[in-house]
């Protein structure tokens, strides 16, 4: 997963950005260092980032967030670990952050949820169709020679003696 690191001084200006951050922002280090989020990102995005920064500053401990960033290829979702940086005298002098882009993972999770829902919908349609047609289903696992069937299979076939099977 792509990761980019950054560091902001207490003044809220960026004091460091790695190459991945430069690539994603399409800005060079010269264009990033010394700028605030409000000078780099849209006002809406910068306000959201700033709100998370404030939480870290107030808590004084590392916190993890999911943040949305708008890039040329569309929105990206990232897990962001933000942490306060203290000097030798334990005075806060900056915020650090490690950003991991999880967009592909989130897209895969959404696709899996949609597939699972489509399967549940399909199974429900089949169940209703079988019930309304007074039909059933059976399955035979040839590998294990195990047979399964639903209760609905018997009414349409009269009395059947079945051996070595399992009811669905």
């Amino acid at each position: 997963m792509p990761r980019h690191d950054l560091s902001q001084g207490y003044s809220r200006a960026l004091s460091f950005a790695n190459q991945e951050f430069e690539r994603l922002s399409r800005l060079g280090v010269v264009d990033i260092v010394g700028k605030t989020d409000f000078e780099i990102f849209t006002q809406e995005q910068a306000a959201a980032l700033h709100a998370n920064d404030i939480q870290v500053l107030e808590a004084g401990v590392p916190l993890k967030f999911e943040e949305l960033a708008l890039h040329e290829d569309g929105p990206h979702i990232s897990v962001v670990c933000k942490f306060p940086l203290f000097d030798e005298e334990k005075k806060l002098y900056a915020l650090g952050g490690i950003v991991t882009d999880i967009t592909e993972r989130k897209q895969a999770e959404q696709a899996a949820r949609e597939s699972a829902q489509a399967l549940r919908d399909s199974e429900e349609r089949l169940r209703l169709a079988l019930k309304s047609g007074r039909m059933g289903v059976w399955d035979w696992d040839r590998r294990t020679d195990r047979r399964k069937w639903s209760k609905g299979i018997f009414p349409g076939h009269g009395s059947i003696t079945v051996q070595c099977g399992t009811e669905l």
Side-chain angles (χ1 to χ4, degrees):
M1 286 183 210
R3 191 185 103 194
H4 49 280
D5 305 322
L6 51 101
S7 174
Q8 292 179 311
Y10 195 68
S11 68
R12 303 276 310 122
L14 288 160
S15 58
F16 168 81
N18 70 2
Q19 290 178 337
E20 182 66 12
F21 186 83
E22 290 179 52
R23 186 186 70 74
L24 287 172
S25 67
R26 302 219 183 245
L27 298 170
V29 70
V30 176
D31 301 313
I32 296 170
V33 172
K35 302 272 174 58
T36 68
D37 289 341
F38 290 93
E39 295 171 291
I40 297 172
F41 303 105
T42 65
Q43 294 301 299
E44 183 180 338
Q45 188 174 346
L49 299 174
H50 181 69
N52 291 341
D53 293 348
I54 295 299
Q55 286 184 53
V56 175
L57 290 171
E58 289 176 351
V61 296
L63 297 174
K64 184 167 43 170
F65 305 93
E66 259 190 33
E67 293 181 344
L68 179 69
L70 304 174
H71 296 288
E72 287 183 1
D73 63 344
H76 284 247
I77 302 168
S78 297
V79 170
V80 182
C81 297
K82 294 185 178 190
F83 46 90
L85 298 172
F86 299 96
D87 63 17
E88 302 82 33
E89 297 166 7
K90 305 219 187 248
K91 286 179 57 178
L92 176 70
Y93 73 90
L95 283 180
I98 300 171
V99 182
T100 304
D101 189 332
I102 60 168
T103 304
E104 288 181 10
R105 185 186 89 196
K106 287 292 198 175
Q107 290 169 339
E109 288 172 354
Q110 180 62 29
R113 281 191 298 276
E114 290 171 2
S115 292
Q117 184 61 49
L119 177 60
R120 284 189 297 275
D121 293 346
S122 179
E123 289 171 338
E124 179 64 12
R125 285 191 304 277
L126 175 61
R127 187 190 66 74
L128 291 171
L130 291 170
K131 183 178 178 182
S132 67
R134 294 187 196 163
M135 297 186 300
V137 294
W138 68 273
D139 186 33
W140 174 29
D141 184 338
R142 293 171 55 186
R143 201 172 29 88
T144 63
D145 197 32
R146 187 178 179 128
R147 295 167 185 92
K148 301 178 190 176
W149 57 86
S150 65
K151 289 180 183 179
I153 201 165
F154 298 113
H157 293 92
S159 179
I160 301 175
T161 302
V162 181
Q163 297 176 0
C164 302
T166 304
E167 190 174 298
L168 287 176

